[in-house]
Amino acid sequence: LNPFLFSPFSNIFLIKFFYKMLQLFIQTIIKKPFAFKGRSSRLEFFSFTFFSQIIFLLLYFVFRYQPYLLSKIEKLLSLKEPLSISLFYISIPFFMILLIVLYLLIGISLTSRRLHDCNVSGVWSLLCFNGGFSPLFFIKGTSGANRYGEEPPN
């Protein structure tokens, strides 16, 4: 049994790693969501996949158990009339379609940049984008500059 595993230093490392992943996720979403040129690191690719899966899982539970949650809120607030949820039900499909389209576009552009890091054409991203587990997590990119640009920072 490794005593370092349960030490506070390992928790600090995990917090820093998680924070770095969150920064890369936000950078991918905000700064270069539709950039098909350049390269991206394995960590950037993994962080986008990790956090987007968490977001979709949370949204699934919110939308799946929404009637149950609304009934609990009504009981908690002791409302005599039910909450008006028609606008909520109308907006859900539009919101989900918009979110899925954005996720696919950002995912394809990120997969294209990840393939550029492996010195492969980004056109292949249309075939290997699956939105979940991908072998691109494990393939190390080319060292130094290649025909798609400089090596991404780690």
Coordinates of all heavy atoms in Angstrom, one line a residue, residues 5-94:
L5 N -0.4 7.7 -1.7 CA -1.7 7.7 -2.4 C -2.8 8.4 -1.5 O -3.7 9.1 -2.1 CB -2.2 6.2 -2.6 CG -3.4 6.0 -3.4 CD1 -3.3 6.5 -4.8 CD2 -3.8 4.6 -3.4
F6 N -2.7 8.3 -0.2 CA -3.6 9.0 0.7 C -3.1 10.2 1.3 O -3.8 10.8 2.2 CB -4.1 8.0 1.8 CG -4.6 6.7 1.2 CD1 -3.9 5.5 1.2 CD2 -5.9 6.7 0.7 CE1 -4.5 4.4 0.6 CE2 -6.5 5.6 0.2 CZ -5.8 4.4 0.1
S7 N -2.0 10.7 0.8 CA -1.5 12.0 1.4 C -2.2 13.2 0.8 O -2.8 13.1 -0.2 CB 0.0 12.1 1.2 OG 0.3 12.3 -0.2
P8 N -2.1 14.3 1.5 CA -2.7 15.6 0.9 C -2.0 16.0 -0.4 O -2.6 16.7 -1.2 CB -2.5 16.6 2.0 CG -1.7 16.0 3.1 CD -1.5 14.5 2.8
F9 N -0.8 15.6 -0.6 CA -0.1 16.0 -1.9 C -0.8 15.4 -3.1 O -0.8 16.0 -4.1 CB 1.4 15.6 -1.8 CG 2.1 16.2 -0.7 CD1 2.6 15.5 0.4 CD2 2.3 17.6 -0.7 CE1 3.2 16.1 1.4 CE2 3.0 18.2 0.3 CZ 3.5 17.5 1.4
S10 N -1.3 14.1 -3.0 CA -1.9 13.5 -4.1 C -3.2 14.3 -4.4 O -3.6 14.4 -5.6 CB -2.2 12.1 -3.9 OG -3.1 11.9 -2.8
N11 N -3.9 14.7 -3.4 CA -5.2 15.5 -3.6 C -4.9 16.8 -4.3 O -5.6 17.2 -5.2 CB -5.9 15.8 -2.3 CG -6.4 14.5 -1.7 OD1 -6.7 13.5 -2.4 ND2 -6.6 14.5 -0.4
I12 N -3.8 17.5 -4.0 CA -3.4 18.7 -4.6 C -3.1 18.5 -6.1 O -3.5 19.2 -7.0 CB -2.2 19.3 -3.9 CG1 -2.6 19.8 -2.5 CG2 -1.6 20.5 -4.7 CD1 -1.4 20.3 -1.7
F13 N -2.4 17.4 -6.4 CA -2.1 17.0 -7.8 C -3.4 16.8 -8.6 O -3.5 17.3 -9.7 CB -1.2 15.8 -7.8 CG -1.1 15.3 -9.2 CD1 -0.2 15.9 -10.1 CD2 -1.8 14.1 -9.7 CE1 -0.1 15.4 -11.4 CE2 -1.6 13.7 -11.0 CZ -0.8 14.3 -11.8
L14 N -4.3 16.0 -8.0 CA -5.6 15.8 -8.7 C -6.4 17.1 -8.9 O -7.0 17.2 -9.9 CB -6.4 14.8 -7.9 CG -5.9 13.4 -7.9 CD1 -6.8 12.5 -7.0 CD2 -5.9 12.8 -9.3
I15 N -6.4 18.0 -7.9 CA -7.1 19.2 -8.1 C -6.5 20.1 -9.2 O -7.2 20.6 -10.0 CB -7.1 20.0 -6.7 CG1 -8.1 19.3 -5.7 CG2 -7.6 21.4 -6.9 CD1 -8.0 19.8 -4.3
K16 N -5.2 20.1 -9.2 CA -4.5 20.9 -10.3 C -4.7 20.3 -11.6 O -5.0 21.0 -12.6 CB -3.0 20.9 -10.0 CG -2.6 21.9 -8.9 CD -1.1 21.9 -8.7 CE -0.7 22.9 -7.6 NZ 0.7 23.0 -7.5
F17 N -4.7 18.9 -11.7 CA -5.0 18.3 -13.0 C -6.4 18.5 -13.4 O -6.7 18.8 -14.6 CB -4.7 16.8 -12.8 CG -5.0 16.0 -14.1 CD1 -4.1 16.1 -15.1 CD2 -6.0 15.1 -14.2 CE1 -4.3 15.3 -16.3 CE2 -6.3 14.4 -15.3 CZ -5.4 14.5 -16.4
F18 N -7.4 18.4 -12.5 CA -8.8 18.7 -12.8 C -9.0 20.1 -13.3 O -9.7 20.4 -14.2 CB -9.6 18.4 -11.6 CG -11.1 18.4 -11.9 CD1 -11.7 17.4 -12.5 CD2 -11.9 19.5 -11.5 CE1 -13.1 17.4 -12.8 CE2 -13.2 19.5 -11.7 CZ -13.8 18.5 -12.4
Y19 N -8.3 21.0 -12.6 CA -8.4 22.5 -13.0 C -7.8 22.7 -14.4 O -8.4 23.5 -15.2 CB -7.7 23.3 -11.9 CG -7.7 24.8 -12.2 CD1 -8.9 25.5 -12.0 CD2 -6.6 25.5 -12.6 CE1 -9.0 26.8 -12.3 CE2 -6.7 26.9 -12.8 CZ -7.9 27.5 -12.7 OH -7.9 28.9 -12.9
K20 N -6.7 22.0 -14.7 CA -6.1 22.2 -16.0 C -7.0 21.6 -17.1 O -7.2 22.2 -18.1 CB -4.7 21.4 -16.0 CG -4.1 21.4 -17.4 CD -3.6 22.7 -17.8 CE -2.7 22.6 -19.0 NZ -2.4 23.9 -19.6
M21 N -7.7 20.5 -16.8 CA -8.6 19.9 -17.7 C -9.8 20.9 -17.9 O -10.3 21.1 -19.1 CB -9.1 18.6 -17.2 CG -8.2 17.5 -17.5 SD -8.7 15.9 -16.9 CE -10.4 15.8 -17.5
L22 N -10.3 21.5 -16.9 CA -11.4 22.4 -17.0 C -11.0 23.7 -17.8 O -11.8 24.2 -18.6 CB -11.9 22.8 -15.6 CG -13.1 23.7 -15.5 CD1 -14.3 22.9 -16.1 CD2 -13.4 24.1 -14.1
Q23 N -9.8 24.1 -17.6 CA -9.3 25.3 -18.4 C -9.2 24.9 -19.9 O -9.6 25.7 -20.7 CB -7.9 25.7 -17.9 CG -7.8 26.5 -16.7 CD -6.4 26.8 -16.3 OE1 -5.5 26.0 -16.5 NE2 -6.2 28.0 -15.7
L24 N -8.7 23.7 -20.2 CA -8.7 23.3 -21.6 C -10.1 23.1 -22.2 O -10.3 23.5 -23.4 CB -7.9 22.0 -21.7 CG -6.4 22.1 -21.6 CD1 -5.8 20.7 -21.5 CD2 -5.8 22.9 -22.7
F25 N -11.0 22.6 -21.4 CA -12.4 22.5 -21.9 C -13.0 23.9 -22.2 O -13.6 24.1 -23.3 CB -13.2 21.8 -20.8 CG -14.7 21.7 -21.2 CD1 -15.1 20.9 -22.2 CD2 -15.6 22.5 -20.5 CE1 -16.5 20.8 -22.5 CE2 -17.0 22.4 -20.8 CZ -17.4 21.5 -21.8
I26 N -12.8 24.8 -21.3 CA -13.3 26.2 -21.5 C -12.6 26.8 -22.7 O -13.3 27.5 -23.6 CB -13.2 27.0 -20.3 CG1 -14.2 26.4 -19.2 CG2 -13.5 28.5 -20.5 CD1 -14.0 27.0 -17.8
Q27 N -11.3 26.6 -22.8 CA -10.6 27.2 -24.0 C -11.1 26.6 -25.3 O -11.2 27.3 -26.3 CB -9.1 26.9 -23.8 CG -8.2 27.3 -24.9 CD -6.8 26.9 -24.8 OE1 -6.4 26.4 -23.7 NE2 -6.0 27.1 -25.8
T28 N -11.4 25.3 -25.3 CA -11.9 24.7 -26.5 C -13.2 25.2 -26.9 O -13.5 25.5 -28.0 CB -12.0 23.1 -26.3 OG1 -10.7 22.6 -26.0 CG2 -12.4 22.4 -27.6
I29 N -14.1 25.4 -25.9 CA -15.5 25.9 -26.1 C -15.5 27.4 -26.5 O -16.2 27.8 -27.4 CB -16.3 25.7 -24.9 CG1 -16.4 24.2 -24.5 CG2 -17.7 26.3 -25.0 CD1 -17.5 23.5 -25.3
I30 N -14.7 28.2 -25.8 CA -14.7 29.7 -26.0 C -13.8 30.2 -27.1 O -14.2 30.9 -28.0 CB -14.4 30.4 -24.7 CG1 -15.3 29.9 -23.6 CG2 -14.4 31.9 -24.9 CD1 -16.7 30.4 -23.7
K31 N -12.5 29.8 -27.1 CA -11.5 30.4 -27.9 C -11.5 29.8 -29.3 O -11.2 30.5 -30.3 CB -10.2 30.4 -27.3 CG -10.1 31.2 -26.0 CD -8.7 31.3 -25.5 CE -8.6 32.2 -24.3 NZ -7.3 32.2 -23.7
K32 N -11.6 28.5 -29.4 CA -11.5 27.9 -30.7 C -12.5 26.7 -31.0 O -12.1 25.6 -31.2 CB -10.1 27.4 -31.0 CG -9.5 26.6 -29.8 CD -8.0 26.2 -30.1 CE -7.5 25.5 -28.9 NZ -6.1 25.1 -29.1
P33 N -13.8 27.1 -30.9 CA -14.8 26.0 -31.1 C -14.9 25.5 -32.5 O -15.2 24.3 -32.6 CB -16.1 26.7 -30.6 CG -15.9 28.1 -30.9 CD -14.4 28.4 -30.6
F34 N -14.7 26.3 -33.5 CA -14.8 25.8 -34.9 C -13.5 26.0 -35.7 O -13.6 26.1 -36.9 CB -16.0 26.6 -35.5 CG -17.2 26.6 -34.8 CD1 -17.7 27.7 -34.2 CD2 -17.9 25.4 -34.6 CE1 -18.9 27.7 -33.5 CE2 -19.1 25.4 -33.8 CZ -19.6 26.5 -33.3
A35 N -12.4 25.9 -35.0 CA -11.1 26.0 -35.6 C -10.7 24.6 -36.2 O -10.5 23.7 -35.4 CB -10.1 26.5 -34.7
F36 N -10.6 24.5 -37.5 CA -10.2 23.2 -38.0 C -8.7 23.2 -38.4 O -8.2 22.2 -38.8 CB -11.0 22.9 -39.3 CG -12.4 22.5 -39.0 CD1 -13.4 23.5 -38.8 CD2 -12.8 21.2 -38.8 CE1 -14.7 23.1 -38.6 CE2 -14.1 20.8 -38.5 CZ -15.0 21.8 -38.4
K37 N -8.0 24.3 -38.2 CA -6.6 24.3 -38.5 C -5.8 24.3 -37.2 O -6.3 24.7 -36.1 CB -6.2 25.6 -39.2 CG -6.8 25.7 -40.6 CD -6.4 26.9 -41.3 CE -7.0 26.8 -42.7 NZ -6.4 27.7 -43.7
G38 N -4.6 23.7 -37.2 CA -3.8 23.6 -36.0 C -3.8 22.2 -35.4 O -4.3 21.3 -36.1
R39 N -3.3 22.1 -34.2 CA -3.2 20.8 -33.6 C -3.8 20.9 -32.2 O -3.8 22.0 -31.6 CB -1.7 20.4 -33.5 CG -1.1 20.2 -34.9 CD 0.4 20.1 -34.9 NE 0.9 19.0 -34.1 CZ 2.2 18.7 -34.0 NH1 3.1 19.4 -34.6 NH2 2.5 17.7 -33.3
S40 N -4.2 19.8 -31.6 CA -4.6 19.8 -30.2 C -4.0 18.6 -29.5 O -3.7 17.6 -30.1 CB -6.2 19.7 -30.1 OG -6.6 18.5 -30.6
S41 N -3.8 18.7 -28.2 CA -3.1 17.7 -27.4 C -4.1 16.6 -27.0 O -5.3 16.8 -27.1 CB -2.5 18.3 -26.2 OG -3.5 18.8 -25.4
R42 N -3.6 15.5 -26.5 CA -4.4 14.4 -26.0 C -5.2 14.9 -24.8 O -6.4 14.6 -24.7 CB -3.6 13.2 -25.6 CG -3.0 12.5 -26.7 CD -2.2 11.3 -26.3 NE -1.0 11.6 -25.7 CZ -0.1 10.8 -25.2 NH1 -0.3 9.5 -25.2 NH2 1.1 11.2 -24.7
L43 N -4.6 15.8 -23.9 CA -5.3 16.2 -22.8 C -6.5 17.1 -23.1 O -7.6 17.1 -22.5 CB -4.4 17.0 -21.8 CG -4.9 17.4 -20.5 CD1 -5.4 16.2 -19.7 CD2 -3.9 18.1 -19.7
E44 N -6.3 18.0 -24.1 CA -7.4 18.8 -24.6 C -8.6 18.0 -25.1 O -9.7 18.2 -24.8 CB -6.9 19.8 -25.7 CG -8.0 20.7 -26.2 CD -7.5 21.7 -27.3 OE1 -6.3 21.6 -27.7 OE2 -8.2 22.5 -27.7
F45 N -8.2 17.0 -25.9 CA -9.2 16.1 -26.5 C -10.0 15.3 -25.4 O -11.2 15.2 -25.4 CB -8.5 15.1 -27.4 CG -9.5 14.2 -28.2 CD1 -10.2 14.7 -29.3 CD2 -9.7 12.9 -27.9 CE1 -11.1 13.9 -30.0 CE2 -10.5 12.1 -28.6 CZ -11.2 12.6 -29.7
F46 N -9.2 14.8 -24.4 CA -9.8 14.0 -23.3 C -10.7 15.0 -22.4 O -11.8 14.6 -22.0 CB -8.7 13.4 -22.4 CG -9.3 12.7 -21.3 CD1 -9.9 11.4 -21.4 CD2 -9.2 13.2 -20.0 CE1 -10.4 10.8 -20.3 CE2 -9.7 12.5 -18.9 CZ -10.3 11.3 -19.1
S47 N -10.2 16.2 -22.2 CA -11.0 17.1 -21.3 C -12.3 17.5 -21.9 O -13.3 17.5 -21.3 CB -10.2 18.3 -20.9 OG -9.9 19.1 -22.0
F48 N -12.3 17.7 -23.2 CA -13.6 18.0 -23.9 C -14.5 16.8 -23.8 O -15.7 17.0 -23.5 CB -13.3 18.4 -25.4 CG -14.6 18.6 -26.2 CD1 -15.3 19.7 -26.0 CD2 -15.1 17.6 -27.0 CE1 -16.5 19.9 -26.7 CE2 -16.2 17.8 -27.7 CZ -17.0 18.9 -27.6
T49 N -14.0 15.7 -24.1 CA -14.9 14.5 -24.0 C -15.4 14.2 -22.6 O -16.6 14.0 -22.4 CB -14.1 13.2 -24.6 OG1 -13.6 13.5 -25.9 CG2 -15.0 12.0 -24.6
F50 N -14.5 14.3 -21.6 CA -14.9 14.1 -20.3 C -16.0 15.1 -19.8 O -17.0 14.6 -19.3 CB -13.6 14.2 -19.4 CG -13.9 14.0 -17.9 CD1 -14.1 12.7 -17.4 CD2 -13.9 15.1 -17.1 CE1 -14.3 12.6 -16.1 CE2 -14.1 14.9 -15.7 CZ -14.3 13.6 -15.2
F51 N -15.8 16.4 -19.9 CA -16.7 17.3 -19.4 C -18.0 17.4 -20.2 O -19.1 17.6 -19.7 CB -16.1 18.7 -19.3 CG -15.1 18.9 -18.2 CD1 -13.8 19.0 -18.4 CD2 -15.6 18.8 -16.9 CE1 -12.9 19.1 -17.3 CE2 -14.7 19.0 -15.8 CZ -13.4 19.1 -16.0
S52 N -17.9 17.2 -21.5 CA -19.2 17.2 -22.3 C -20.0 16.0 -21.9 O -21.3 16.1 -21.9 CB -18.9 17.2 -23.8 OG -18.1 16.1 -24.2
Q53 N -19.4 14.8 -21.6 CA -20.2 13.7 -21.2 C -20.9 13.9 -19.8 O -22.0 13.5 -19.6 CB -19.3 12.4 -21.1 CG -18.8 12.0 -22.5 CD -19.9 11.6 -23.4 OE1 -20.9 11.0 -23.1 NE2 -19.7 11.9 -24.7
I54 N -20.2 14.6 -18.9 CA -20.7 14.9 -17.6 C -21.9 15.9 -17.8 O -23.0 15.7 -17.2 CB -19.7 15.5 -16.7 CG1 -18.7 14.4 -16.3 CG2 -20.3 16.2 -15.5 CD1 -17.6 14.9 -15.4
I55 N -21.8 16.9 -18.7 CA -22.8 17.8 -18.9 C -24.1 17.1 -19.5 O -25.2 17.4 -19.1 CB -22.3 19.0 -19.8 CG1 -21.4 19.9 -19.1 CG2 -23.5 19.8 -20.4 CD1 -20.6 20.9 -20.0
F56 N -23.9 16.3 -20.5 CA -25.0 15.6 -21.1 C -25.6 14.6 -20.1 O -26.9 14.5 -20.1 CB -24.6 14.8 -22.3 CG -24.6 15.6 -23.6 CD1 -23.4 16.1 -24.2 CD2 -25.8 16.0 -24.1 CE1 -23.5 16.8 -25.3 CE2 -25.9 16.8 -25.3 CZ -24.7 17.2 -25.9
L57 N -24.9 14.0 -19.2 CA -25.4 13.1 -18.2 C -26.3 13.9 -17.2 O -27.4 13.5 -16.9 CB -24.3 12.4 -17.5 CG -24.8 11.3 -16.5 CD1 -25.4 10.2 -17.2 CD2 -23.6 10.8 -15.7
L58 N -25.8 15.1 -16.8 CA -26.6 15.9 -15.9 C -27.9 16.4 -16.5 O -28.9 16.5 -15.9 CB -25.7 17.1 -15.4 CG -24.6 16.8 -14.4 CD1 -23.7 18.0 -14.2 CD2 -25.1 16.2 -13.1
L59 N -27.7 16.9 -17.8 CA -28.9 17.3 -18.5 C -30.0 16.2 -18.7 O -31.2 16.4 -18.6 CB -28.6 17.9 -19.8 CG -27.9 19.3 -19.8 CD1 -27.5 19.7 -21.2 CD2 -28.8 20.3 -19.2
Y60 N -29.5 15.0 -18.9 CA -30.4 13.9 -19.0 C -31.2 13.7 -17.8 O -32.4 13.5 -17.8 CB -29.6 12.6 -19.4 CG -30.5 11.4 -19.2 CD1 -31.4 11.0 -20.2 CD2 -30.3 10.6 -18.1 CE1 -32.2 9.9 -20.0 CE2 -31.1 9.4 -17.9 CZ -32.1 9.1 -18.9 OH -32.9 8.0 -18.7
F61 N -30.5 13.7 -16.6 CA -31.2 13.5 -15.4 C -32.2 14.7 -15.0 O -33.3 14.4 -14.5 CB -30.2 13.3 -14.2 CG -29.7 11.9 -14.2 CD1 -28.3 11.7 -14.4 CD2 -30.5 10.8 -13.9 CE1 -27.8 10.4 -14.4 CE2 -30.0 9.5 -13.9 CZ -28.6 9.3 -14.2
V62 N -31.8 15.9 -15.4 CA -32.7 17.0 -15.1 C -33.9 16.9 -16.0 O -35.0 17.1 -15.5 CB -32.0 18.3 -15.4 CG1 -32.9 19.5 -15.5 CG2 -30.9 18.6 -14.3
F63 N -33.8 16.6 -17.3 CA -34.9 16.5 -18.2 C -35.7 15.2 -17.9 O -36.9 15.2 -18.1 CB -34.5 16.6 -19.6 CG -34.0 17.9 -20.0 CD1 -32.9 18.0 -20.9 CD2 -34.5 19.1 -19.5 CE1 -32.4 19.3 -21.2 CE2 -34.0 20.3 -19.8 CZ -33.0 20.4 -20.7
R64 N -35.1 14.2 -17.5 CA -35.8 12.9 -17.3 C -36.7 13.0 -16.0 O -37.8 12.5 -16.0 CB -34.7 11.8 -17.1 CG -35.3 10.4 -16.7 CD -36.1 9.8 -17.8 NE -36.5 8.5 -17.5 CZ -37.6 8.2 -16.9 NH1 -38.5 9.1 -16.5 NH2 -37.9 6.9 -16.6
Y65 N -36.1 13.6 -15.0 CA -36.9 13.6 -13.7 C -37.5 15.0 -13.5 O -37.9 15.3 -12.4 CB -36.0 13.2 -12.6 CG -35.5 11.8 -12.7 CD1 -34.2 11.5 -13.1 CD2 -36.4 10.8 -12.5 CE1 -33.8 10.2 -13.2 CE2 -36.0 9.5 -12.6 CZ -34.7 9.2 -13.0 OH -34.3 7.9 -13.1
Q66 N -37.6 15.8 -14.5 CA -38.2 17.1 -14.4 C -39.6 17.1 -13.8 O -39.9 17.9 -12.9 CB -38.1 17.8 -15.7 CG -38.7 19.2 -15.8 CD -40.1 19.3 -16.2 OE1 -40.6 18.4 -16.9 NE2 -40.8 20.3 -15.8
P67 N -40.6 16.3 -14.3 CA -41.9 16.3 -13.7 C -41.9 16.0 -12.2 O -42.6 16.6 -11.4 CB -42.7 15.2 -14.4 CG -41.9 15.1 -15.7 CD -40.5 15.4 -15.4
Y68 N -41.0 15.0 -11.8 CA -40.9 14.7 -10.4 C -40.3 15.8 -9.6 O -40.8 16.2 -8.5 CB -40.0 13.4 -10.3 CG -39.7 13.1 -8.8 CD1 -40.6 12.4 -8.0 CD2 -38.4 13.4 -8.3 CE1 -40.4 12.1 -6.7 CE2 -38.2 13.0 -6.9 CZ -39.1 12.4 -6.2 OH -38.9 12.1 -4.9
L69 N -39.3 16.5 -10.1 CA -38.7 17.6 -9.4 C -39.7 18.8 -9.3 O -39.8 19.4 -8.2 CB -37.5 18.1 -10.1 CG -36.3 17.2 -10.2 CD1 -35.2 17.7 -11.1 CD2 -35.8 16.9 -8.8
L70 N -40.5 19.0 -10.3 CA -41.5 20.1 -10.3 C -42.6 19.8 -9.2 O -43.0 20.7 -8.5 CB -42.1 20.4 -11.6 CG -41.3 21.2 -12.6 CD1 -42.0 21.3 -13.9 CD2 -41.0 22.5 -12.0
S71 N -43.0 18.5 -9.1 CA -44.0 18.2 -8.1 C -43.5 18.4 -6.7 O -44.2 18.8 -5.8 CB -44.5 16.8 -8.3 OG -43.5 15.8 -8.0
K72 N -42.2 18.1 -6.5 CA -41.6 18.3 -5.2 C -41.5 19.7 -4.9 O -41.7 20.2 -3.7 CB -40.2 17.6 -5.1 CG -40.2 16.1 -5.1 CD -40.9 15.6 -3.9 CE -40.8 14.1 -3.8 NZ -41.6 13.6 -2.6
I73 N -41.2 20.6 -5.9 CA -41.1 22.0 -5.7 C -42.4 22.6 -5.3 O -42.6 23.4 -4.4 CB -40.5 22.7 -6.9 CG1 -39.0 22.4 -7.0 CG2 -40.6 24.2 -6.8 CD1 -38.4 22.8 -8.3
E74 N -43.5 22.1 -6.0 CA -44.8 22.5 -5.7 C -45.2 22.2 -4.3 O -45.8 23.0 -3.6 CB -45.8 21.9 -6.7 CG -45.7 22.5 -8.1 CD -46.6 21.7 -9.1 OE1 -47.2 20.7 -8.7 OE2 -46.6 22.1 -10.2
K75 N -44.9 21.0 -3.8 CA -45.2 20.6 -2.5 C -44.4 21.4 -1.5 O -44.9 21.8 -0.4 CB -44.9 19.1 -2.3 CG -45.9 18.2 -2.9 CD -45.6 16.7 -2.7 CE -46.6 15.9 -3.4 NZ -46.3 14.4 -3.2
L76 N -43.1 21.6 -1.8 CA -42.3 22.4 -0.9 C -42.8 23.8 -0.7 O -42.8 24.4 0.4 CB -40.8 22.4 -1.4 CG -39.8 23.1 -0.6 CD1 -39.6 22.3 0.7 CD2 -38.5 23.2 -1.3
L77 N -43.2 24.4 -1.8 CA -43.7 25.8 -1.7 C -45.2 25.9 -1.4 O -45.7 27.0 -1.2 CB -43.5 26.5 -3.1 CG -42.0 26.6 -3.5 CD1 -42.0 27.2 -4.9 CD2 -41.2 27.5 -2.5
S78 N -45.8 24.8 -1.2 CA -47.2 24.7 -0.9 C -48.1 25.5 -1.8 O -49.0 26.3 -1.5 CB -47.5 25.2 0.6 OG -46.7 24.5 1.5
L79 N -47.9 25.2 -3.1 CA -48.7 25.9 -4.1 C -50.0 25.2 -4.3 O -50.1 24.0 -4.4 CB -47.9 25.9 -5.4 CG -46.6 26.7 -5.4 CD1 -45.9 26.5 -6.8 CD2 -46.8 28.2 -5.2
K80 N -51.0 26.0 -4.5 CA -52.4 25.4 -4.7 C -52.6 25.2 -6.2 O -53.3 24.3 -6.6 CB -53.4 26.4 -4.2 CG -53.3 26.6 -2.7 CD -54.6 27.2 -2.1 CE -54.4 27.6 -0.7 NZ -54.2 26.7 0.3
E81 N -51.9 25.9 -7.1 CA -52.0 25.7 -8.5 C -50.7 25.2 -9.0 O -49.6 25.5 -8.5 CB -52.3 27.1 -9.2 CG -53.6 27.7 -8.8 CD -53.8 29.0 -9.5 OE1 -53.2 29.3 -10.6 OE2 -54.6 29.8 -9.1
P82 N -50.8 24.3 -10.0 CA -49.5 23.7 -10.5 C -48.7 24.8 -11.3 O -49.2 25.7 -11.8 CB -50.0 22.6 -11.5 CG -51.4 22.9 -11.8 CD -51.9 23.7 -10.6
L83 N -47.4 24.5 -11.3 CA -46.5 25.5 -12.0 C -46.8 25.3 -13.5 O -47.1 24.3 -14.0 CB -45.1 25.1 -11.7 CG -44.6 25.4 -10.3 CD1 -43.2 24.8 -10.2 CD2 -44.5 26.9 -10.0
S84 N -46.7 26.5 -14.2 CA -46.9 26.5 -15.6 C -45.6 26.0 -16.3 O -44.6 26.6 -16.2 CB -47.2 27.9 -16.1 OG -47.2 27.9 -17.5
I85 N -45.7 24.8 -16.9 CA -44.5 24.2 -17.5 C -44.6 24.0 -19.0 O -43.7 23.4 -19.6 CB -44.2 22.8 -16.8 CG1 -45.4 21.9 -16.9 CG2 -43.8 23.0 -15.4 CD1 -45.1 20.5 -16.5
S86 N -45.6 24.6 -19.6 CA -45.7 24.4 -21.0 C -44.6 25.0 -21.8 O -44.1 24.4 -22.8 CB -47.1 25.0 -21.5 OG -47.1 26.4 -21.2
L87 N -44.1 26.2 -21.4 CA -43.0 26.8 -22.1 C -41.7 25.9 -21.9 O -40.9 25.8 -22.8 CB -42.7 28.2 -21.5 CG -41.6 29.0 -22.2 CD1 -41.9 29.2 -23.7 CD2 -41.4 30.3 -21.5
F88 N -41.6 25.3 -20.7 CA -40.5 24.4 -20.4 C -40.5 23.2 -21.4 O -39.5 22.9 -22.0 CB -40.5 24.0 -19.0 CG -39.3 23.2 -18.6 CD1 -38.1 23.9 -18.3 CD2 -39.3 21.9 -18.4 CE1 -37.0 23.2 -17.9 CE2 -38.2 21.2 -18.0 CZ -37.0 21.8 -17.8
Y89 N -41.6 22.6 -21.6 CA -41.7 21.5 -22.4 C -41.5 21.8 -23.9 O -41.0 21.0 -24.7 CB -43.1 20.8 -22.3 CG -43.2 19.9 -21.1 CD1 -44.1 20.1 -20.1 CD2 -42.3 18.8 -21.0 CE1 -44.2 19.2 -19.0 CE2 -42.3 18.0 -19.9 CZ -43.3 18.2 -18.9 OH -43.3 17.4 -17.9
I90 N -41.9 23.0 -24.3 CA -41.7 23.5 -25.7 C -40.2 23.8 -25.9 O -39.7 23.5 -27.0 CB -42.5 24.7 -26.0 CG1 -44.0 24.3 -26.0 CG2 -42.2 25.3 -27.3 CD1 -45.0 25.5 -26.1
S91 N -39.5 24.3 -25.0 CA -38.2 24.8 -25.2 C -37.2 23.6 -25.0 O -36.0 23.7 -25.5 CB -37.8 25.9 -24.2 OG -37.9 25.4 -22.8
I92 N -37.5 22.5 -24.4 CA -36.6 21.4 -24.2 C -36.1 20.8 -25.5 O -34.8 20.7 -25.7 CB -37.2 20.3 -23.4 CG1 -37.3 20.7 -21.9 CG2 -36.4 19.0 -23.4 CD1 -38.0 19.7 -21.0
P93 N -36.9 20.5 -26.5 CA -36.4 19.9 -27.7 C -35.5 20.9 -28.5 O -34.4 20.5 -29.0 CB -37.6 19.6 -28.6 CG -38.7 19.5 -27.6 CD -38.4 20.4 -26.5
F94 N -35.8 22.2 -28.5 CA -35.0 23.1 -29.2 C -33.6 23.3 -28.6 O -32.6 23.3 -29.2 CB -35.7 24.5 -29.3 CG -36.9 24.4 -30.2 CD1 -38.2 24.7 -29.6 CD2 -36.9 24.1 -31.5 CE1 -39.3 24.7 -30.4 CE2 -38.0 24.1 -32.3 CZ -39.3 24.4 -31.7

